């Protein structure tokens, strides 16, 4: 959103670097607008001598990021369902470094954005505009293009049902992504805003879902359900060994609405 910087003139000094000149000045009146490829610009900065307060600031920012990215396994919470943070503690350690991750739009994607790290090229595929239904077809495409890599598609129950029939395409073309369906039986992001802004007045965000495991198996793909985080490791390994696409349903507590939530 646009809440961090005032529009059009931020209170802070703003240097805006962008590869397409049409974007410069479109929203923000920057103090310095630089029409340049961001990667090239960063490489040029990296060649400059880094010293003094800039080096200290950069180290402080990196320390903040690494603290935010870390998972303290001793302080996990008890939920009525599988703790998604505990599952990501496992993925942090065991997801291959070259794995491709695709995400749908929704609060569940915050765990991947916070706790996973991505290299280049093409390690993270996500919808630019926040559109739902992206994770399944993009994971299938990524698996077809990269048959030797682990591909993990992340979606909520609502987004999964928008394009879940593409599992037929996965079987037809031999794609083998693992689709992780974070099921809290609601449109979680919309519900979060409803409960925050209009307490007790949530509307049209409850979902009636099928049996996701049975649904997956009806296509001939691997299907399994995780009701507690301790079950995830075995099911993850079984999914990788299945030789087909796989669907892992994560039964979540609706109260675990973000990675910062407490019971």
């Amino acid at each position: 959103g646009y809440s961090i910087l005032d529009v059009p003139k931020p209170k802070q000094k703003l240097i805006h670097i962008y590869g397409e000149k049409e974007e410069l000045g479109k929203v923000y009146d920057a103090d310095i607008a630089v029409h340049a490829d961001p990667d090239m610009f960063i490489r040029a900065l990296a060649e400059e001598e880094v010293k003094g307060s800039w080096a200290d600031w950069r180290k402080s920012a990196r320390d903040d990021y690494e603290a935010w990215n870390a998972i303290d396994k001793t302080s996990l919470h008890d939920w009525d369902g599988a703790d998604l943070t505990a599952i990501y503690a496992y993925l942090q350690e065991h997801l291959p470094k070259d794995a491709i991750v695709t995400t749908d739009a929704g609060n569940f994607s915050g765990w991947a954005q916070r706790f996973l790290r991505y290299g280049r090229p093409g390690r993270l595929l996500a919808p630019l505009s926040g559109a739902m239904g992206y994770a399944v077809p993009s994971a299938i495409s990524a698996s077809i293009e990269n048959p030797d890599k682990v591909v993990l598609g992340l979606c909520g129950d609502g987004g999964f049902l928008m394009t879940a029939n593409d599992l037929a395409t996965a079987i037809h073309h031999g794609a083998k992504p693992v689709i992780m369906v974070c099921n809290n039986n609601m449109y979680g992001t919309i519900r979060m805003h409803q409960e925050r802004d209009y307490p007790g007045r949530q509307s049209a965000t409850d979902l009636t879902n099928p049996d996701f495991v049975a649904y997956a198996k009806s296509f001939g793909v691997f299907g399994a359900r995780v009701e507690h985080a301790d079950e995830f490791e075995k099911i993850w390994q079984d999914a990788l060994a299945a030789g087909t696409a796989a669907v892992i349903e994560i039964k979540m507590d609706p109260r675990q609405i973000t990675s910062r939530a407490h019971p």
Side-chain angles (χ1 to χ4, degrees), residues 68-79 81-93 107-108 110-112 114-116 180 182 228-230 232 250-253 256-263:
W68 177 247
N69 181 255
I71 297 176
D72 182 1
K73 296 180 183 179
T74 65
S75 62
L76 297 175
H77 302 294
D78 290 326
W79 298 98
D83 178 8
L84 204 54
T85 302
I87 288 173
Y88 273 86
Y90 176 83
L91 290 173
Q92 272 189 341
E93 296 178 5
N107 277 23
F108 65 88
W111 276 264
R114 176 178 177 181
F115 294 127
L116 299 182
M180 197 164 89
C182 302
H228 192 277
D230 290 346
F232 182 78
I250 310 296
K251 291 290 289 183
M252 288 186 64
D253 189 326
Q256 194 178 21
I257 197 65
T258 74
S259 64
R260 301 178 299 277
H262 298 273

Side-chain angles (χ1 to χ4, degrees), residues 68-239:
W68 177 247
N69 181 255
I71 297 176
D72 182 1
K73 296 180 183 179
T74 65
S75 62
L76 297 175
H77 302 294
D78 290 326
W79 298 98
D80 293 332
D83 178 8
L84 204 54
T85 302
I87 288 173
Y88 273 86
Y90 176 83
L91 290 173
Q92 272 189 341
E93 296 178 5
H94 295 92
L95 197 64
K97 297 297 183 184
D98 64 347
I100 297 172
V101 177
T102 80
T103 76
D104 224 80
N107 277 23
F108 65 88
S109 67
W111 276 264
Q113 294 156 2
R114 176 178 177 181
F115 294 127
L116 299 182
R117 299 183 183 181
Y118 304 95
R120 297 281 183 176
R123 286 281 320 287
L124 172 63
L125 307 177
L128 180 64
S129 59
M132 297 171 67
Y134 177 84
V136 174
S138 60
I140 293 169
S141 298
S143 181
I144 291 172
E145 289 292 319
N146 302 272
D148 297 328
K149 292 185 178 180
V150 171
V151 178
L152 173 59
L154 302 167
C155 48
D157 44 329
F160 176 69
L161 285 178
M162 292 182 178
T163 49
N165 55 315
D166 279 348
L167 290 172
T169 303
I171 291 296
H172 192 80
H173 292 282
K176 302 176 183 178
V178 178
I179 307 298
M180 197 164 89
V181 182
C182 302
N183 179 15
N184 57 8
N185 287 106
M186 64 184 182
Y187 289 125
T189 302
I190 302 170
R191 175 68 69 85
M192 178 187 70
H193 289 291
Q194 289 178 345
E195 293 188 354
R196 183 190 64 196
D197 297 332
Y198 306 100
R201 295 176 57 195
Q202 63 268 19
S203 174
T205 46
D206 290 319
L207 295 176
T208 300
N209 289 325
D211 182 328
F212 287 118
V213 174
Y215 181 86
K217 290 181 177 179
S218 73
F219 285 92
V221 309
F222 175 90
R225 180 176 295 110
V226 175
E227 298 186 1
H228 192 277
D230 290 346
E231 302 166 351
F232 182 78
E233 179 177 356
K234 181 181 184 306
I235 289 176
W236 171 257
Q237 294 298 332
D238 290 345

